[in-house]
Amino acid sequence: MLEDIKKELLNNPEKIKEVLEHFGFRNIVIRNTYMQFGRDNNPKSSKKSISIKLVNNRFLYVHDYPKAVKKDFFSYIMEEKRVDFTDVLSEVKQALNIVDYYEHFERRGIFGGFYEKIYKRSSGKNFTYDESVLREYQPVCNLKFLKDNISLEAQRYFGIRYDIESQGIVIPIYDQIGQIIGIKERFNYDVEDGEMKYFYSLPCSMSQTLYGYSHNYNFLVNGTVYIFEAEKSVMQCYTYGIRNCVALGSGTISKKQCQMILELNPQKVVFMHDVGYEIESIERNITMLRNYSRFSEMEIWYWDYFNKGYKDKVSPSDMGKKTLEHIIENEIHKIGDDDIEEEL
């Protein structure tokens, strides 16, 4: 999804200039194969110290030579100007005249080739909702989540609310570019084993997004990505100060989610499944991601919780910051050199 937007920006560098000017960058010059610009109007700042290649730059990297920084266009502006992902994306959409993302790119067939096949087979269009749908719920944090290692700050950051009618803890679900596509709720009381804990008051297809993607984008690009099963884990990790996390919303990764991971150009991906998820299922997820990353040098790892005495169905983030740090440091197994089953 973001790859299409980056491709269109590269094909229209004057739109890149428009976005840069909006965020205060100056002295922007467009050449045949690259563009240069300065950080601001400060006379002490170099006017040509930052550049963007307009060819062979699939991930739209920005090179800031004085700071020795190479970052994705979105994350670079976010860090340099202290703005959110949605702020940058909103300005990009305005520059490209994108009103409805899906109609804009489906109509023009911008995917093409390899990703077009993934898209046609795996993606149904999700309905998107205006932020005003959240007004139906109370903007309050929740004690149950607080006891579950999800801080008040984390609850506010991820937009947690409360449904008085259903007694549900409201979890807004966003797509890759920060639009609401559904509302998931968790009953605010204990239920018996086997009974339903979660339900959707606004249904959506979780296989078409990754929870935390737009919220944590700046921490996911070109680094290590931890993939958890549940949304709660992403919020717990935020509480622990760990931001490079997303959640599948289930135990199985979809083709669309593989595409989203690859668009981050990660160096390392770590599957952090709950205890009890069978090794054959973990292996299928790894194989799925591998099949769509053949031309990438990305490393794939997983949490090897087997035969270590962990409680069934517990997430690695459920057990607190220290335990999670221990797991990351000591119990993450790299895939590639050995067959999984031989390792176990």
Side-chain angles (χ1 to χ4, degrees):
M1 187 178 288
L2 281 176
E3 186 169 21
D4 341 335
I5 293 175
K6 291 177 180 180
K7 185 184 296 184
E8 185 142 334
L9 284 170
L10 286 169
N11 289 334
N12 299 276
E14 69 280 359
K15 301 301 183 182
I16 298 178
K17 180 180 179 181
E18 187 177 325
V19 174
L20 290 172
E21 286 178 336
H22 172 83
F23 287 104
F25 295 98
R26 295 293 180 262
N27 303 304
I28 304 166
V29 178
I30 302 174
R31 311 290 186 186
N32 287 334
T33 59
Y34 67 96
M35 57 193 303
Q36 294 175 302
F37 56 97
R39 205 175 312 280
D40 48 41
N41 282 327
N42 189 328
K44 294 183 179 181
S45 298
S46 171
K47 296 180 180 180
K48 300 180 180 180
S49 60
I50 311 168
S51 71
I52 299 175
K53 290 173 59 178
L54 300 176
V55 294
N56 301 320
N57 189 13
R58 171 186 168 190
F59 296 103
L60 193 55
Y61 283 123
V62 177
H63 290 255
D64 187 330
Y65 292 99
K67 291 188 175 182
V69 165
K70 178 184 177 183
K71 278 188 174 294
D72 151 275
F73 181 73
F74 290 88
S75 57
Y76 178 76
I77 295 177
M78 288 169 64
E79 286 198 4
E80 192 68 24
K81 301 300 181 179
R82 299 291 188 268
V83 293
D84 293 333
F85 174 72
T86 50
D87 296 327
V88 183
L89 185 62
S90 176
E91 189 58 31
V92 168
K93 288 169 66 177
Q94 183 173 327
L96 294 175
N97 194 29
I98 299 173
V99 178
D100 184 307
Y101 168 86
Y102 299 97
E103 289 183 4
H104 184 88
F105 287 107
E106 283 181 34
R107 183 178 65 252
R108 299 176 58 180
I110 198 169
F111 280 94
F114 172 71
Y115 282 137
E116 181 70 22
K117 294 177 183 178
I118 301 178
Y119 184 76
K120 286 181 177 179
R121 288 198 305 262
S122 66
S123 70
K125 179 179 176 180
N126 270 310
F127 287 103
T128 60
Y129 301 91
D130 188 82
E131 292 279 338
S132 61
V133 299
L134 297 178
R135 295 174 189 163
E136 299 178 23
Y137 312 104
Q138 296 301 307
V140 295
C141 298
N142 182 268
L143 184 59
K144 187 176 186 64
F145 268 18
L146 186 62
K147 291 179 178 178
D148 238 352
N149 297 326
I150 300 175
S151 68
L152 297 178
E153 181 185 352
Q155 293 186 48
R156 285 190 288 266
Y157 184 72
F158 289 96
I160 300 303
R161 293 181 173 236
Y162 193 72
D163 187 339
I164 295 176
E165 183 177 350
S166 68
Q167 296 185 56
I169 305 168
V170 173
I171 307 171
I173 304 297
Y174 292 86
D175 67 6
Q176 185 181 5
I177 57 176
Q179 302 173 119
I180 295 178
I181 59 172
I183 300 291
K184 189 173 185 177
E185 297 192 30
R186 202 277 189 213
F187 289 122
N188 191 34
Y189 49 83
D190 294 330
V191 299
E192 298 294 331
D193 288 343
E195 290 187 355
M196 182 178 68
K197 293 181 180 179
Y198 293 90
F199 68 96
Y200 286 91
S201 52
L202 280 180
C204 68
S205 176
M206 280 300 302
S207 65
Q208 302 304 302
T209 191
L210 286 165
Y211 186 79
Y213 195 101
S214 59
H215 284 82
N216 289 336
Y217 182 81
N218 193 36
F219 301 89
L220 299 169
V221 177
N222 200 34
T224 297
V225 178
Y226 294 103
I227 302 178
F228 293 85
E229 289 189 32
E231 299 84 3
K232 187 174 71 170
S233 292
V234 175
M235 291 183 270
Q236 289 170 329
C237 286
Y238 178 98
T239 301
Y240 307 149
I242 303 171
R243 296 292 305 278
N244 50 329
C245 307
V246 293
L248 300 172
S250 69
T252 305
I253 195 168
S254 70
K255 295 170 185 177
K256 174 64 177 178
Q257 289 170 330
C258 287
Q259 175 192 338
M260 291 173 65
I261 292 295
L262 293 178
E263 288 184 8
L264 296 168
N265 192 30
Q267 306 305 301
K268 177 178 176 180
V269 172
V270 185
F271 282 99
M272 303 288 277
H273 285 91
D274 294 357
V275 175
Y277 201 71
E278 296 180 355
I279 186 59
E280 292 80 12
S281 299
I282 296 175
E283 186 173 13
R284 280 197 296 271
N285 283 342
I286 291 169
T287 300
M288 171 78 80
L289 186 57
R290 263 182 163 174
N291 286 340
Y292 292 103
S293 61
R294 296 174 192 164
F295 307 109
S296 168
E297 296 181 359
M298 173 182 68
E299 297 178 354
I300 304 178
W301 300 57
Y302 76 98
W303 176 32
D304 179 8
Y305 57 74
F306 297 90
N307 303 316
K308 293 183 173 64
Y310 289 112
K311 182 180 178 182
D312 193 37
K313 297 183 179 180
V314 70
S315 162
S317 60
D318 283 336
M319 297 176 280
K321 181 178 180 179
K322 288 186 178 180
T323 299
L324 180 58
E325 289 175 341
H326 171 83
I327 287 170
I328 290 172
E329 183 69 27
N330 300 287
E331 298 178 2
I332 304 302
H333 177 79
K334 181 180 179 182
I335 301 302
D337 298 330
D338 304 302
D339 183 81
I340 297 177
E341 293 183 359
E342 292 179 354
E343 288 295 305
L344 298 175

